[in-house]
Amino acid sequence: MRGMVMRRIFLPVFLASILTGAGAQNMHIGIYQDHLVTSSVVYCSSGNYHLVAGGEILARFGDGDILYLTLDGEKLKVLDADRDFGFFTDVELRGTTPDCVFRIRPLQPGLESRMYDDDLVVHAGDRFMTLINRVDMDKYLAGVVEAETGLNAGKEFYKAQSILCRTFALKNLDRHQTEGFSLCDGVHCQAYRGRSMQHPGILTAIMETTGLVLADYHYQLITAAYHSNSGGQTQRASEVWVSDADYLQSVVDPYSLHQPHAKWQDTISFREWKEYLLKNGMRSVNRIPDEIIYVEQMRRKKYFVLDRDSLRMTKIREDWEFPSAFFDMFPDGDSVLVWGKGYGHGIGMSQEGAMKMAADGFMFRDILQFYFHEVRLMDYRDLPASSIPDVEF
Ligand SMILES: [Zn+2]
């Protein structure tokens, strides 16, 4: 790939550190972040926990024990099956054994329950409680890779995906700092719906790449962008985002063709298309022949240009809710046929392209070098301290 010396790297597999979290970085993830939760029930599913509040250990919990948390005023009312512990601002269920797992179900609003590894930290607010999963980084990543990709891809794909998710997580440790945690569990950060179902392909990928991230040539963590399918060509970052990055260039990507989200189709009315262009400053629309008021992209374009006016392809995508900004248009009576390629913003790694590369026998480092231009694959503990946000919770 691009003249790279193909070199297998042999990574020590610290299975024990995955299982115990010993020496590993803990993440603080805001959970159920799409909801304003005011009441929850927590079940200890395995391991032993300490209930900590007001700087004291209030109780010990084991398998099957239940804890009720309710917001009352600006405090948390804390109860178990037969004790009333009182009111607190902050409460923790702190795991004391390596196999700690809890299940939580918000009662107000009523939501589905989820399982999480390690600890639960709860802060009282004036309108809702902030629920935080303090979790070993690799356990968190297993949950993220599962939520972001599904279960049936190849191991080398999962390794590439794990490295991107780890890079994203470490680069964005301060994203929600003012709310008391690092990352949320929604698509705003990375989807995380609790502990992984222990899919062996995902767990092995995390273990065999533990600590690995992508850095640029200044030893800074990269913007680890990925999307579903590039449609055959990835998008240069500066064409969508304000800032450019040397490592996020456009790549011709044959691996994404013939994959599930390689193509899409839509139909819109020609009258509405014309009105839309006029409304968005394309003044020449009424002067030029109808035949040329159509988008054509053999390769990805940044702008749709008519005469002296232009409109960003990404804006058209957003306004018409198209799956991607990579599409062509064809006249069809009073309508416009839209034939699109790819799914998502198109920047960085195409997940379906990477899955195809893995199926074709490429290793994870080949996949990453294909989608990211001149990046360093390295352990985050070898990066300068300044490249990872310093956060304290
Ligand atoms: Zn977020």
Side-chain angles (χ1 to χ4, degrees), residues 144-153 157-158 161 202 351 355:
V144 169
V145 170
E146 193 171 297
E148 293 274 345
T149 66
L151 291 179
N152 296 308
F157 162 76
Y158 284 133
Q161 183 71 56
I202 294 177
Q351 290 179 307
M355 286 180 201

Side-chain angles (χ1 to χ4, degrees), residues 176 184 188-189:
H176 288 272
C184 73
H188 171 258
C189 289

Side-chain angles (χ1 to χ4, degrees), residues 175-176 181-190:
R175 215 174 202 204
H176 288 272
F181 52 88
S182 281
L183 300 154
C184 73
D185 60 349
V187 288
H188 171 258
C189 289
Q190 305 190 102

Side-chain angles (χ1 to χ4, degrees), residues 145 158-168 209 212-214 224 364-365 368 377:
V145 170
Y158 284 133
K159 286 188 193 175
Q161 183 71 56
S162 304
I163 291 164
L164 294 188
C165 292
R166 185 180 294 110
T167 305
F168 178 91
T209 62
L212 286 184
V213 291
L214 287 181
F364 72 93
R365 68 163 47 231
L368 294 171
L377 185 61

Side-chain angles (χ1 to χ4, degrees), residues 227-295:
H227 58 278
S228 291
N229 187 306
S230 73
Q233 185 194 359
T234 68
Q235 178 83 279
R236 184 175 163 179
S238 62
E239 317 246 294
V240 179
W241 299 333
V242 182
S243 60
D244 199 8
D246 291 344
Y247 49 84
L248 292 172
Q249 300 297 327
S250 179
V251 176
V252 173
D253 172 23
Y255 305 105
S256 286
L257 303 172
H258 316 297
Q259 301 307 310
H261 294 91
K263 288 182 181 164
W264 53 270
Q265 249 190 58
D266 206 343
T267 307
I268 60 177
S269 109
F270 183 71
R271 187 182 50 79
E272 283 173 31
W273 173 239
K274 227 169 143 175
E275 281 170 9
Y276 168 79
L277 294 175
L278 268 175
K279 209 172 74 192
N280 284 281
M282 308 289 266
R283 291 158 300 176
S284 54
V285 164
N286 284 332
R287 283 189 274 112
I288 58 179
D290 282 356
E291 299 88 81
I292 61 166
I293 311 181
Y294 294 98
V295 175

Side-chain angles (χ1 to χ4, degrees), residues 304-368:
F304 174 48
V305 180
L306 275 184
D307 202 10
R308 262 177 272 165
D309 301 317
S310 62
L311 200 53
R312 285 181 84 97
M313 295 302 306
T314 48
K315 176 173 168 52
I316 301 176
R317 175 203 170 189
E318 219 170 90
D319 291 343
W320 291 88
E321 295 179 356
F322 293 151
S324 74
F326 194 14
F327 57 85
D328 294 307
M329 288 179 163
F330 302 94
D332 181 30
D334 295 338
S335 305
V336 180
L337 286 181
V338 189
W339 287 6
K341 290 167 263 191
Y343 196 96
H345 56 54
I347 302 169
M349 187 180 83
S350 158
Q351 290 179 307
E352 290 183 355
M355 286 180 201
K356 174 74 168 101
M357 287 184 81
D360 286 353
F362 287 95
M363 310 303 283
F364 72 93
R365 68 163 47 231
D366 304 327
I367 297 172
L368 294 171

Side-chain angles (χ1 to χ4, degrees), residues 135-151:
V135 57
D136 165 73
M137 182 162 63
D138 282 340
K139 291 178 183 170
Y140 161 68
L141 289 173
V144 169
V145 170
E146 193 171 297
E148 293 274 345
T149 66
L151 291 179

